[in-house]
Amino acid sequence: MSLIKAPIVIRNRPKRKLSMQRQQLRNVTVEGIPAIVFQTLLAGPFLTGYLLYLGASASQIGFVLAITTFVNIAQVAVAFLIQRLEKRKKLFVTFGVVQRLIWGVTGLVPFLFDRSLWVAAFIVLYVAAFFANTVVTVLWTSIVSDLVPPAVRGRYFGMRNTIVNAVGSVTLFVGGIILDANPGGSGFLILYAIVWTCILINILVLIRFPDVPFERSAETKFIPMLRKPLHDVPFIKATAFLSFFLLLQTIVVPLYSYAMLDILGLSYKTVSTMTVVQTLCMMASFYAWGSLNARFSSKQLLYWTLPIVALSCMAWGLQAFLPVIAALVIVHMLLGVGIGGFNQLSFNFIIGDTPKRERPMFTAVYSAATGLMSFFGPLIGGQVYEWIADAPYWIQAYGVQMTVGTLLLVFSVTVGRPVLVGQRLGASSLRRLKRRKALRA
């Protein structure tokens, strides 16, 4: 007698639905992917190269690099005005669209204006785009800080930054190949075609951002609202120190691409490769900084990043002993780890160590102070490079960077430690600090 086996029925298990919060966090990550592509192609070596193509001088390049941070002063007014809002999404999307479209229009400058007006027209459009960006930055920080739970902020932003910067590193490499294969205007035309495609994709993702409830400040007048961050002694001391550190840092770091392209005479592909090295090291450090942030405070970790940035500037002097490319690889490896940690941890410091209701004004005060100092840095740097145009080659190639790096290292060790690290806390003090942070979150 044969046995008839019953057929095996394989049931497809329904896919587990993501929670609303996980969907929102995924959307924040997805938004960063097209954003990093067009931001990469409109900044760094590509921005410097495009400005050189338009006919800009070193001081004009320094001004363009500086203006992006100077307009952050307007964030103080924005932080006050948004307190009148019930919802943030409409204003966030409106200014996000305006900022991205104006930024994209900078690629049409050679088609819309006479050659003599190219640099001036670019600067006007660029400034307008970043004024709109001041509103976007305050609202984005406010919305995202409400979306990401405090317990996972360090790891989440570590993972998000790793993914986004992986895309950015590929963009850097591909962009450098495109410019080397298509010198002049045709290369930048291709880059701007990619920029416009990513801008449109990014706008579609922005529209999907949630309209989370907005907890407004208890203050209704400007001066009392501004007084809150100004009277927070630990916050304002850290902000003042970091602002001055950025003043020194931005004298040379934003002009790395200019030094490589115009002084060292390297190709776009080589400069892009250096930036890829920086981005890869930045990516490798993001998760590590995020994991460390679960054990150590953002301010303490910020302090650890400062000597790394300083050593990046000092490493330019390795050109005296090593081949130029080898020296620059070390420079950009150190810069990637240092700047990556600095940017991630300063953001976590702002959204983690500040009261939730007052966070827009705290963010604005920090951005205004650091933005003002970061404005003067590239201006000073651009002028310095013009002053040393007839100086010995070693001064132009690495003398300025080494001098600034030494100043940064001394300033970090002597002033940064007491401001950011302070005295070692006892167990009871640590418990009080944790309770304070829990109340703020």
Side-chain angles (χ1 to χ4, degrees):
M1 188 173 79
S2 62
L3 297 174
I4 302 174
K5 294 182 179 179
I8 299 173
V9 179
I10 301 175
R11 295 180 181 176
N12 292 325
R13 293 184 179 180
K15 286 186 178 180
R16 190 177 177 183
K17 269 188 109 176
L18 291 174
S19 67
M20 181 61 68
Q21 188 176 64
R22 285 182 177 272
Q23 288 179 27
Q24 292 169 350
L25 294 182
R26 177 176 287 185
N27 199 53
V28 173
T29 302
V30 170
E31 183 271 335
I33 294 173
I36 196 65
V37 174
F38 70 74
Q39 287 171 8
T40 300
L41 296 178
L42 292 171
F46 304 112
L47 173 60
T48 304
Y50 188 55
L51 286 167
L52 290 171
Y53 166 72
L54 295 179
S57 64
S59 58
Q60 287 173 323
I61 292 172
F63 175 79
V64 171
L65 296 174
I67 198 64
T68 60
T69 56
F70 180 74
V71 296
N72 285 341
I73 296 173
Q75 288 190 23
V76 175
V78 174
F80 171 69
L81 293 173
I82 67 169
Q83 297 296 329
R84 301 170 183 270
L85 300 174
E86 293 291 339
K87 301 284 181 73
R88 291 167 287 187
K89 180 178 176 179
K90 186 175 181 180
L91 193 68
F92 169 66
V93 172
T94 300
F95 275 87
V97 170
V98 169
Q99 187 267 343
R100 284 150 175 76
L101 293 180
I102 296 175
W103 210 357
V105 170
T106 57
L108 302 178
V109 165
F111 301 99
L112 299 176
F113 301 95
D114 185 74
R115 179 179 287 271
S116 61
L117 299 174
W118 282 4
V119 176
F122 178 91
I123 290 174
V124 170
L125 289 169
Y126 206 71
V127 171
F130 275 88
F131 265 115
N133 191 58
T134 59
V135 181
V136 177
T137 300
V138 173
L139 290 170
W140 189 91
T141 305
S142 175
I143 292 171
V144 171
S145 65
D146 287 346
L147 286 175
V148 183
V152 299
R153 275 180 187 147
R155 286 193 174 90
Y156 170 74
F157 285 112
M159 291 300 297
R160 180 185 184 273
N161 291 339
T162 301
I163 294 168
V164 167
N165 281 276
V167 176
S169 64
V170 173
T171 304
L172 278 166
F173 186 71
V174 172
I177 293 174
I178 290 172
L179 285 185
D180 278 340
N182 302 273
S186 58
F188 289 110
L189 185 62
I190 296 171
L191 292 189
Y192 269 97
I194 299 171
V195 165
W196 272 101
T197 302
C198 291
I199 283 174
L200 296 176
I201 294 171
N202 182 255
I203 288 172
L204 293 175
V205 180
L206 283 183
I207 295 170
R208 296 176 55 196
F209 259 62
D211 202 359
V212 292
F214 185 27
E215 292 188 32
R216 294 182 292 178
S217 171
E219 302 290 349
T220 57
K221 295 182 179 179
F222 178 74
I223 297 300
M225 194 181 298
L226 180 61
R227 197 178 290 132
K228 291 282 182 73
L230 295 181
H231 285 192
D232 190 316
V233 175
F235 169 80
I236 208 66
K237 283 173 66 177
T239 298
F241 166 77
L242 293 173
S243 298
F244 193 77
F245 184 89
L246 286 171
L247 171 65
L248 291 174
Q249 174 192 306
T250 52
I251 290 174
V252 292
V253 172
L255 294 166
Y256 274 13
S257 296
Y258 171 78
M260 289 186 286
L261 287 169
D262 206 57
I263 296 174
L264 301 181
L266 302 179
S267 67
Y268 286 114
K269 183 179 178 181
T270 303
V271 176
S272 297
T273 303
M274 292 300 111
T275 316
V276 169
V277 170
Q278 175 187 329
T279 307
L280 290 174
C281 291
M282 192 182 297
M283 288 164 48
S285 72
F286 279 144
Y287 187 77
W289 289 119
S291 297
L292 286 170
N293 206 184
R295 298 175 54 200
F296 301 97
S297 72
S298 297
K299 287 169 68 175
Q300 183 171 359
L301 293 176
L302 260 176
Y303 171 71
W304 294 356
T305 68
L306 304 183
I308 302 175
V309 176
L311 289 173
S312 164
C313 298
M314 296 173 69
W316 278 78
L318 293 174
Q319 293 179 60
F321 312 100
L322 299 176
V324 171
I325 300 301
L328 291 177
V329 167
I330 296 172
V331 166
H332 286 84
M333 288 175 67
L334 290 169
L335 186 65
V337 175
I339 291 291
F342 184 92
N343 292 339
Q344 179 170 316
L345 293 162
S346 59
F347 180 79
N348 290 351
F349 159 60
I350 292 299
I351 68 172
D353 290 14
T354 56
K356 185 175 182 180
R357 287 179 177 270
E358 312 300 332
R359 194 166 290 152
M361 186 57 76
F362 273 77
T363 303
V365 168
Y366 175 84
S367 297
T370 54
L372 182 63
M373 293 297 101
S374 298
F375 168 74
F376 289 113
L379 287 181
I380 296 169
Q383 193 61 55
V384 167
Y385 276 110
E386 291 196 356
W387 288 339
I388 63 172
D390 298 322
Y393 176 75
W394 73 270
I395 294 178
Q396 299 182 54
Y398 55 83
V400 177
Q401 293 92 328
M402 283 190 66
T403 303
V404 171
T406 304
L407 292 173
L408 286 172
L409 187 60
V410 172
F411 183 60
S412 301
V413 174
T414 57
V415 181
R417 182 175 178 80
V419 170
L420 295 179
V421 181
Q423 301 298 320
R424 188 176 295 276
L425 297 175
S428 60
S429 298
L430 282 170
R431 284 195 294 270
R432 286 196 299 272
L433 182 61
K434 287 180 180 179
R435 283 198 298 269
R436 185 184 176 194
K437 286 187 175 183
L439 290 172
R440 283 182 164 187

